[in-house]
């Protein structure tokens, strides 16, 4: 007879990164005794001589990480006589561990792909391996049960059944269909696929709105016979086709209707970014102030705008977003700017598509969702663009380019990815941080060529490494023309003497940059000080750039401007824009970045 003991216990301590031997030295006898600790059931297992963490986990058909999490003292190793708490997630009446296995996650693999390979549901793998979500990492060890013998305990089974709905092929009346969530799918893309609203989908699947869809999860799709029968021809069709921009003559007497959606009450509604909410409220105020300055500048050019500001609270308040979508100004808008944070952007995007209104996401990276919505425009530049710009610049045939690679193998992933994108073979210098300085400088001199530009592409984000390299190069390169191409992370370095950055003419690609010596920046700062009696921050510059750019585009192309975006080139103060269509039936993503250079006269300039 099984005994259940109730023992009070403190909260578990999370431990990760421990490495253990995987030798199945002895057969492990599974304990039948369970105890209840802080509301959870555990097997109590006494370690016998020769038993390893691997063999114990295999016997109890659970991930090693789950045992470590419940037994933080295991950082000292597994010792005979130790009593371990083993989380109860399976009924082990008929354990057959010899048919089960462990899987080491390969680069690029997803839990969904692994579940398909072993024919074990995603929810089961997630539960048995104590995963917080469906994300897995390269080299992570996962416990894989035999698919034929998967039998979860009663509590686990009932929990999984809440997320797994039986598929039905009903197509009449109030029939239902089932959909298995695929990688990169969102609530919005699934609702579009079946021609239903997001609310209809979330109402049919309790918990979906709060948690979002999980890969491999089965969703109930409310459907009528008409929807199901004509489903294929409705997939990916926009509400109305994007119109080609025609010749347009702006009438100053007819103002453009612009809606600005900002989380102006963020300090009262929680901090979505985990930082000081008062600071975030100040940032949103600066964004708004920058937008107003843009409207003032456009007014001087004869452009009239009706601006409606909608407070989305903290961009996560669903009631506030629902109220915002009922604002009559939205339906008559020619342009929507915002919301700021991704959850709110995804909530408003279907509305913008339904009413064919261009919608600008000014700060969030929403790549996957732009692919789905032809009226969505992403302004923020993602890191992939920065990397590709850096690679293309390194390929330039205007001198001698040398790759600098850490000799100790650090930053190996970045080095590998860069070389893969580069494709071309370039001269390479294996640089050892902290080596004998004279030897390092001689090695650098051997790579320098007189009468040519010598460009060093440094593939490291290690601040100490970069400092060591720049110090030696600044001495070794006297009399030579040199420049160093770094990464965007170098901007956050704090211990490097800027004299070395300027001596070596360090160049970096960034998503945005303000050159305060330029006339546009000078004018903006002067006006901002005059109007608001304070200094502008990055949010103020972004607010100005976004509003001025898109309203000025409407002045030239009219409200059907969106199809013309890829051909438009206009200078901005802070953030460069070059929009590219994300997909055949998708929206537009900013694929531009700015290259800055630290010059010898201690200036930081934009490289044209």
């Amino acid at each position: 007879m099984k005994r259940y003991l109730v023992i009070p216990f403190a909260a578990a301590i999370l431990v990760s990164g421990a490495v253990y031997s995987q030798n199945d030295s002895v057969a492990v006898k599974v304990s039948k005794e369970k105890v209840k600790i802080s509301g959870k059931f555990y097997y109590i297992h006494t370690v016998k001589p020769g038993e390893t963490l691997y063999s114990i986990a295999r016997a109890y058909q659970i991930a090693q990480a789950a045992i470590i999490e419940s037994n933080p003292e295991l950082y000292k190793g597994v010792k005979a006589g130790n009593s371990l708490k083993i989380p109860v997630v399976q009924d082990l009446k008929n354990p057959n561990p010899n048919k089960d296995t462990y899987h080491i996650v390969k680069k690029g693999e997803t839990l969904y792909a692994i579940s398909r390979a072993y024919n074990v549901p995603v929810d089961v793998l997630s539960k048995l391996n104590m995963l917080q979500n469906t994300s897995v990492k390269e080299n992570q060890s996962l416990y894989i049960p035999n698919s034929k013998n998967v039998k979860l305990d009663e509590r686990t089974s009932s929990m999984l059944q809440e997320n797994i709905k039986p598929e039905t092929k009903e197509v009449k009346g109030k029939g239902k269909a089932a959909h298995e969530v695929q990688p990169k799918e969102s609530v919005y893309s699934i609702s579009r696929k079946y021609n239903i609203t997001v609310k209809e989908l979330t109402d049919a699947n309790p918990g979906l709105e709060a948690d979002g869809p999980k890969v491999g999860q089965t969703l109930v799709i409310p459907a009528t016979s008409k929807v199901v029968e004509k489903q294929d021809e409705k997939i990916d069709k926009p509400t109305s086709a994007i119109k080609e921009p025609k010749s347009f003559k702006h009438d100053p007497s007819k103002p453009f209707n612009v809606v600005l959606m900002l989380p102006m009450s963020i300090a009262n509604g929680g901090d979505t970014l985990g930082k000081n909410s008062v600071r975030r409220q100040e940032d949103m105020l600066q964004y708004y102030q920058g937008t107003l300055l843009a409207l003032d500048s456009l007014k001087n050019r004869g452009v009239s705008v009706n601006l409606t500001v909608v407070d989305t609270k903290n961009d996560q308040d669903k009631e506030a977003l629902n109220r915002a979508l009922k604002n009559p100004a939205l339906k008559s808008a020619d342009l929507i700017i915002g919301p700021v944070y991704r959850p709110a952007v995804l909530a408003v995007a279907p509305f913008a598509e339904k009413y064919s209104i261009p919608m600008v996401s000014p700060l969030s990276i929403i790549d996957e969702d732009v692919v789905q919505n032809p009226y969505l425009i992403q302004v923020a530049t993602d890191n992939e663009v920065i990397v590709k710009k850096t690679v293309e610049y390194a390929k330039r045939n205007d001198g001698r380019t040398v790759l600098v690679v850490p000799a100790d193998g650090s930053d190996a992933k970045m080095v590998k990815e860069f070389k893969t994108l580069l494709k071309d073979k370039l001269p390479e210098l294996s640089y050892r941080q902290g080596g004998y300085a004279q030897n390092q400088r001689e090695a650098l001199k051997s790579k320098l060529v007189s009468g040519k530009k010598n460009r060093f592409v440094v593939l490291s984000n290690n601040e100490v490494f970069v400092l060591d390299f720049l110090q030696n190069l600044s001495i070794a390169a006297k009399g030579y023309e040199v420049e160093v191409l770094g990464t965007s992370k170098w901007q956050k370095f704090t211990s490097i003497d800027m004299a070395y950055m300027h001596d070596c003419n360090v160049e970096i690609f960034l998503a945005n940059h303000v050159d305060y010596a330029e006339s546009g920046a000078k004018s903006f700062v002067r006006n901002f000080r005059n109007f608001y009696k304070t200094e502008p921050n990055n949010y103020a510059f972004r607010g100005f750039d976004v509003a001025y750019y898109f309203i000025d585009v409407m002045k030239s192309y009219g409200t059907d401007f969106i199809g013309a975006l890829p051909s438009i080139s206009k200078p901005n103060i802070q953030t460069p824009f070059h929009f590219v269509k994300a997909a055949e039936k998708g929206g537009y993503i900013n694929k531009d970045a700015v290259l800055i250079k630290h010059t010898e006269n201690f200036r930081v300039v934009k490289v044209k």
Side-chain angles (χ1 to χ4, degrees):
M1 179 177 178
K2 295 180 182 178
R3 291 177 296 160
Y4 297 88
L5 308 178
V6 180
I7 304 174
F9 193 71
I13 301 174
L14 302 182
V15 177
S16 63
V19 179
Y20 299 88
S21 168
Q22 292 193 352
N23 295 321
D24 231 344
S25 52
V26 298
V28 176
K29 184 178 180 181
V30 174
S31 171
K32 294 183 179 180
E33 181 180 86
K34 293 181 184 179
V35 297
K36 190 175 184 180
I37 303 174
S38 297
K40 296 182 180 179
F41 285 101
Y42 296 83
Y43 292 107
I44 299 300
H45 178 84
T46 302
V47 180
K48 303 295 189 298
E51 291 181 353
T52 65
L53 181 64
Y54 173 75
S55 63
I56 295 169
R58 192 177 179 87
Y60 284 91
Q61 301 177 35
I62 194 172
Q64 296 175 66
I67 300 178
I68 296 171
E69 181 176 322
S70 299
N71 300 272
E73 68 277 8
L74 283 179
Y75 78 93
K76 297 178 181 178
V78 177
K79 296 180 181 179
N82 283 0
S83 292
L84 303 180
K85 300 186 296 295
I86 313 293
V88 176
V89 295
Q90 290 203 83
D91 186 341
L92 298 176
K93 290 181 179 178
N94 299 301
N96 191 358
N98 294 328
K99 290 188 178 182
D100 300 321
T101 186
Y102 280 87
H103 176 86
I104 305 301
V105 179
K106 300 180 181 64
K107 183 177 180 180
E109 275 191 320
T110 63
L111 192 64
Y112 175 76
I114 296 168
S115 74
R116 286 297 178 89
Y118 290 97
N119 195 31
V120 178
V122 168
D123 295 47
V124 174
L125 289 181
S126 180
K127 182 65 181 176
L128 296 184
N129 288 279
M130 307 289 279
L131 302 179
Q132 297 299 315
N133 49 44
T134 57
S135 299
V136 291
K137 299 179 180 179
E138 184 179 1
N139 295 323
Q140 181 177 351
S141 176
L142 297 178
Y143 171 76
I144 309 293
N146 186 313
S147 61
K148 295 181 180 179
N149 294 325
V150 172
K151 186 176 182 181
L152 303 179
D153 67 14
E154 184 177 343
R155 183 171 56 88
T156 303
S157 296
S158 62
M159 188 179 76
L160 293 184
Q161 288 304 315
E162 292 175 3
N163 294 322
I164 303 177
K165 308 294 182 183
E167 182 172 354
T168 173
K169 295 183 179 180
E170 293 180 74
V171 295
K172 294 182 180 180
K174 296 184 179 180
K176 299 177 181 179
H179 174 82
E180 184 175 355
V181 179
Q182 304 299 309
K184 297 186 177 181
E185 283 190 319
S186 64
V187 172
Y188 170 61
S189 64
I190 296 169
S191 65
R192 272 195 64 191
K193 181 174 183 178
Y194 292 97
N195 196 36
I196 58 176
T197 66
V198 169
K199 188 176 187 305
E200 287 173 332
L201 181 61
T202 54
D203 285 349
N205 297 273
L208 180 62
E209 186 175 11
D211 302 331
K214 303 293 188 297
V215 175
Q217 180 181 358
T218 302
L219 300 179
V220 172
I221 307 297
T224 63
S225 58
K226 182 177 180 180
V227 172
V228 174
E229 290 166 2
K230 296 188 176 182
Q231 175 181 318
D232 291 339
E233 67 181 65
K234 288 184 178 293
I235 293 177
D236 289 333
K237 285 191 176 183
T239 306
S240 61
I242 295 290
K243 300 175 183 177
E244 290 296 323
K246 301 177 182 178
S247 58
F248 176 79
K249 186 176 181 180
H250 174 57
D251 183 352
S253 67
K254 295 182 179 179
F256 294 116
N257 296 317
V258 177
V259 172
L260 177 63
M261 306 185 77
L262 292 178
M264 300 298 289
S265 303
I266 191 170
N268 299 320
D271 184 12
T272 56
L273 292 186
K275 297 182 179 180
N276 186 283
S277 58
V278 175
R279 170 63 184 277
R280 284 303 179 204
Q281 191 173 39
E282 171 64 21
D283 290 339
M284 293 304 101
L285 177 60
Q286 287 244 350
Y287 188 99
Y288 173 56
Q289 291 170 333
T291 301
L292 292 182
L293 280 187
L295 300 189
D296 186 69
S297 298
L298 289 162
K299 181 180 178 181
N300 294 333
R301 295 186 54 209
V303 181
S304 179
V305 175
N306 287 331
L307 178 67
T308 301
V309 180
V310 177
D311 183 3
T312 56
K313 300 300 181 183
N314 65 351
D315 263 9
Q316 291 187 342
D317 188 324
K318 294 172 185 176
E319 290 185 7
L321 287 171
N322 288 334
R323 286 196 301 271
L325 289 172
K326 293 176 182 178
N327 190 314
L330 259 73
K331 287 187 179 180
S332 60
D334 299 313
L335 174 69
I336 299 174
I337 300 176
V340 170
Y341 301 122
R342 192 171 186 269
V345 173
L346 302 187
V348 178
F351 177 94
E353 182 181 12
K354 179 179 180 180
Y355 293 99
S356 305
I357 305 169
M359 174 179 164
V360 180
S361 173
L363 295 169
S364 294
I365 300 293
I366 49 170
D367 289 0
E368 296 172 6
D369 303 283
V370 176
V371 172
Q372 309 282 348
N373 189 329
Y375 288 91
L376 200 51
I377 304 165
Q378 176 183 303
V379 165
T381 304
D382 61 30
N383 189 61
E384 182 182 344
V385 172
I386 303 293
V387 172
K388 287 184 177 179
K389 288 278 186 181
T390 304
V391 170
E392 290 303 315
Y393 193 69
K395 287 182 178 181
R396 289 176 53 151
N397 187 23
D398 58 350
R400 176 180 172 82
T401 300
V402 177
L403 296 184
V404 179
V405 178
D408 62 0
S410 59
D411 287 301
K413 182 178 179 181
M414 180 173 72
V415 172
K416 182 179 179 181
E417 290 178 351
F418 192 92
K419 288 183 177 181
T420 301
L421 290 170
L422 188 65
K423 296 180 181 177
D424 302 332
K425 183 73 174 177
L426 292 177
E428 191 170 308
L429 171 64
S430 180
Y431 187 88
R432 184 170 298 281
Q433 169 201 325
Y436 182 55
Q438 189 57 40
N439 291 342
Q440 299 283 54
R441 292 164 190 168
E442 290 299 325
L444 286 167
K445 277 189 176 180
S446 69
K447 298 293 184 180
L448 296 169
V449 178
S450 298
K452 285 187 176 182
K453 181 185 291 184
N454 296 273
R455 180 184 295 118
F456 292 90
V457 182
V458 182
L459 302 179
S460 175
N461 286 321
N462 184 303
E463 188 167 356
V464 177
F465 179 95
V466 173
L467 173 59
D468 189 83
F469 174 81
L470 293 179
Q471 285 176 327
N472 285 319
L473 180 63
S474 65
I475 296 172
K478 296 297 183 185
Y480 292 90
E481 184 184 359
V482 300
E483 65 183 29
V484 173
L485 188 59
T487 76
S488 58
K489 291 187 178 179
W490 289 21
Q491 281 292 96
K492 297 181 180 179
F493 290 168
T494 58
S495 64
I496 294 181
D497 188 336
M498 293 305 294
Y500 295 124
M501 300 280 280
H502 291 278
D503 282 348
C504 298
N505 296 297
V506 171
E507 295 182 312
I508 302 172
F509 276 99
L510 300 172
N512 50 70
H513 174 76
V514 178
D515 185 346
Y516 288 90
E518 292 182 344
S519 60
K522 287 180 178 179
S523 177
F524 176 80
V525 172
R526 182 172 59 251
N527 291 335
F528 198 91
R529 288 170 178 168
N530 289 338
F531 273 91
Y532 307 116
K533 310 305 178 185
T534 188
E535 294 296 313
N537 67 14
N538 285 332
Y539 287 86
F541 283 106
R542 179 64 65 87
F544 181 92
D545 277 352
V546 169
Y548 192 95
Y549 177 92
F550 284 100
I551 296 173
D552 191 47
V553 166
M554 284 199 293
K555 175 181 180 292
S556 301
Y557 295 89
T559 55
D560 294 328
F561 68 86
I562 195 165
L565 284 177
S567 63
I568 298 172
S569 177
K570 291 178 179 291
N572 289 334
I573 298 175
Q574 181 210 50
T575 307
F577 293 162
H578 172 59
F579 292 101
V580 175
K581 201 164 178 58
E584 182 181 354
K585 296 179 181 179
Y588 296 84
I589 296 178
N590 184 19
K591 293 288 187 179
D592 209 352
V594 59
L595 177 63
I596 65 168
K597 182 174 184 177
H598 298 73
T599 64
E600 293 178 355
N601 59 357
F602 285 88
R603 281 198 61 209
V604 178
V605 300
K606 293 179 182 178
V607 179
K608 306 298 182 183

